[in-house]
Amino acid sequence: EILDFLEESVIPADQNELRMIRGILRMDTVKVREIMVPRVDMNTASATASIGAVADLMSVGGHSKIPVYKGTVDTIVGVIFARDVLTALDNDQDPDGPVEALARPALRVPESQSLERLLRQLQERRTGMAIVVDEYGGVSGLVTVTDLIEEIVGELVDEFDVDGPEVEAIGSSEMFADAGASIDIMNQTLGSSIVADGFDTVGGLVFRELGKVPSPG
């Protein structure tokens, strides 16, 4: 009702403000799965990796928090924070020592959880990252407070974001798109209104329409 009023109002509404209001009102219906960083894109470190190696990984990747796993990514034992790594190195701790000793407990959330509940948990646990698990207990991705904020205010770009746009129209009937780009991003960029039903990304849309993995080219 609030959105209908704003969109039908004779008072011109700022589109950015409308988008933020929509984002806030959708927090109880949008699921974590729709905004998470998928497992294939996670930047992780083995529990046996050295503190020095993880410091290098953080420096290259530009991440201040990295999940640590033991054996496989499905066994996350904690999260490493850049501050803890820097403190350890400043205190002359052995850079070749295992990084697992610095890991803090990781918050785990189901991929079907709403963003509203996720925000409350991040606040309660005073953390900015959660590991997302599927119904079988496997790790399906991770989500950060930045991902949550971007759902409300739109894409945030920092000093380490050097890639081009996820979706770019190059003509009236052609576009370049990252297969991992969300349907929401595509709709916003192209002015389309595709409903994500059983998929969340451009790649998921292509798979559904083709019924197979497309061949290169």
Side-chain angles (χ1 to χ4, degrees):
E1 290 175 348
I2 291 173
L3 286 174
D4 288 343
F5 171 77
L6 290 172
E7 291 174 349
E8 295 173 4
S9 174
V10 295
I11 302 174
D14 183 275
Q15 291 303 308
N16 289 329
E17 292 178 354
L18 278 176
R19 185 179 67 247
M20 286 191 284
I21 292 172
R22 288 192 189 95
I24 293 170
L25 295 178
R26 292 175 63 227
M27 285 186 67
D28 63 338
T29 57
V30 176
K31 305 305 180 185
V32 170
R33 179 173 63 90
E34 299 177 51
I35 70 165
M36 71 180 183
V37 176
R39 175 184 176 127
V40 294
D41 292 332
M42 286 173 56
N43 197 5
T44 60
S46 170
T48 59
S50 69
I51 296 174
V54 172
D56 292 339
L57 183 62
M58 288 178 163
S59 176
V60 172
H63 298 289
S64 61
K65 295 177 283 291
I66 293 181
V68 176
Y69 65 89
K70 182 176 289 186
T72 70
V73 176
D74 285 317
T75 309
I76 299 293
V77 296
V79 176
I80 299 295
F81 289 74
R83 181 175 179 178
D84 293 333
V85 172
L86 292 173
T87 299
L89 295 176
D90 286 343
N91 291 337
D92 295 327
Q93 190 166 335
D94 183 8
D96 293 324
V99 77
E100 183 180 4
L102 302 179
R104 295 174 182 253
L107 170 64
R108 289 173 171 80
V109 299
E111 59 183 18
S112 58
Q113 184 167 285
S114 72
L115 300 192
E116 185 177 38
R117 175 60 182 155
L118 170 66
L119 177 59
R120 287 203 300 268
Q121 284 193 282
L122 292 176
Q123 290 174 320
E124 291 168 0
R125 291 286 296 271
R126 300 176 65 181
T127 185
M129 174 187 286
I131 304 300
V132 184
V133 295
D134 61 26
E135 60 185 306
Y136 304 105
V139 172
S140 54
L142 65 81
V143 64
T144 68
V145 69
T146 300
D147 298 320
L148 197 154
I149 293 173
E150 287 182 333
E151 182 64 20
I152 298 173
V153 304
E155 194 72 15
L156 298 174
V157 180
D158 63 23
E159 298 83 353
F160 299 101
D161 291 331
V162 295
D163 295 329
E166 290 183 290
V167 178
E168 182 178 9
I170 59 173
S172 60
S173 61
E174 191 173 359
M175 71 175 184
F176 285 122
D178 186 323
S182 71
I183 294 300
D184 283 344
I185 291 292
M186 189 183 76
N187 284 336
Q188 290 172 19
T189 304
L190 304 180
S192 53
S193 56
I194 294 174
V195 177
D197 183 13
F199 57 90
D200 304 309
T201 65
V202 173
L205 171 64
V206 172
F207 287 163
R208 191 193 71 169
E209 294 301 315
L210 287 181
K212 63 179 182 179
V213 177
S215 301

